[in-house]
Amino acid sequence: MKTLVICSGGLDSVSLAHVIAATGNLSRLVSFDYGQRHRKEIDSAAATATRLGVPHHVIDLRPVGAVLTGSALTDAIDVPDGHYAEDTMRVTVVPNRNAIMLTVGFGLAAAQGDQAVAAAVHGGDHFIYPDCRPAFTDAFQVMQNAALDGYADIRLLTPFVHQTKADIVRAGAAHGTPFQDTWSCYKGGELHCGRCGTCVERREAFHLAGIPDPTAYADPDYWQAAVARKAGA
């Protein structure tokens, strides 16, 4: 199936792009500018598209993002440090983000003749993000079947939805993902901060996968304290 990949430029979605590319079915990458704190992920996605030889569409959702207030990813709210599964990480939720992005992705896929849309939602996201859970992705497929009935038949692919971040690292490594060229950190500094939820998750995933982490972190050891604190909570 010709497959469009929703690609933020982070470790998960870039790994997914490499997995799909290995099947010979990757048609394009789609990224979204919704007014997030920085563009480092989008730059990573653009480099991924060039590397894999497919078009890269960047959809401007900044007017939409401007009204999705209350998130540390779009507002002047400090990004919290700590384990990615802590309740404090709820401040990083952008309301309905995946539903909006996937809807645009399905529309683009239908217009371009693609047969599938792939998203890198995974089991580690289920703690905080409701639009990364199987109940959401299953319902979204049903909704799109109705929305495109008689016009297009497009499948939502979420191969990581029941897997861990460590599983994604293993899959990415098996398909040659250049992890050092992906960007996960919410803060967008010169280096990955090593302290925000997504940095802690990333660092822990490499550890659990047994694969060396090539990422340069401003605080490379904080993740251990964050994981220990969460385990003792």
Side-chain angles (χ1 to χ4, degrees):
M1 295 184 292
K2 291 175 59 180
T3 303
L4 174 160
V5 171
I6 304 293
C7 186
S8 69
L11 183 152
D12 305 335
S13 61
V14 173
S15 294
L16 178 60
H18 277 259
V19 169
I20 298 296
T23 69
N25 292 321
L26 182 64
S27 62
R28 69 195 74 251
L29 303 184
V30 179
S31 304
F32 297 89
D33 182 352
Y34 56 91
Q36 55 266 55
R37 298 176 76 96
H38 59 80
R39 291 183 57 88
K40 289 196 169 187
E41 280 189 314
I42 294 177
D43 293 341
S44 170
T48 301
T50 298
R51 183 169 59 250
L52 296 177
V54 296
H56 181 222
H57 307 264
V58 180
I59 309 299
D60 186 358
L61 290 182
R62 286 175 294 176
V64 175
V67 300
L68 304 180
T69 56
S71 172
L73 302 192
T74 55
D75 279 4
I77 299 171
D78 289 340
V79 174
D81 294 339
H83 194 276
Y84 60 92
E86 293 179 19
D87 284 343
T88 55
M89 296 302 156
R90 294 187 185 279
V91 76
T92 63
V93 172
V94 178
N96 228 29
R97 177 177 59 175
N98 279 356
I100 294 167
M101 292 179 180
L102 284 171
T103 298
V104 175
F106 266 73
L108 179 58
Q112 297 295 324
D114 294 331
Q115 297 153 316
V117 172
V121 297
H122 65 89
D125 290 332
H126 300 172
F127 298 106
I128 304 297
Y129 305 114
D131 56 1
C132 292
R133 298 170 186 162
F136 165 77
T137 56
D138 291 346
F140 190 89
Q141 180 71 75
V142 172
M143 183 268 287
Q144 284 298 312
N145 290 345
L148 294 172
D149 184 35
Y151 182 77
D153 183 10
I154 299 173
R155 181 181 173 192
L156 176 58
L157 303 180
T158 54
F160 302 147
V161 72
H162 295 292
Q163 298 184 16
T164 67
K165 186 96 166 185
D167 293 327
I168 296 175
V169 169
R170 295 186 189 100
H175 291 87
T177 303
F179 296 118
Q180 69 277 7
D181 296 330
T182 66
W183 187 269
S184 297
C185 182
Y186 286 150
K187 297 182 181 180
E190 183 176 348
L191 301 177
H192 281 72
C193 73
R195 298 180 66 91
C196 70
T198 190
C199 278
V200 169
E201 181 187 32
R202 179 184 177 110
R203 183 65 187 86
E204 183 185 22
F206 277 100
H207 171 74
L208 294 174
I211 292 173
D213 184 354
T215 313
Y217 298 95
D219 190 342
D221 299 321
Y222 174 80
W223 73 277
Q224 294 173 312
V227 169
R229 186 169 62 248
K230 179 60 179 174

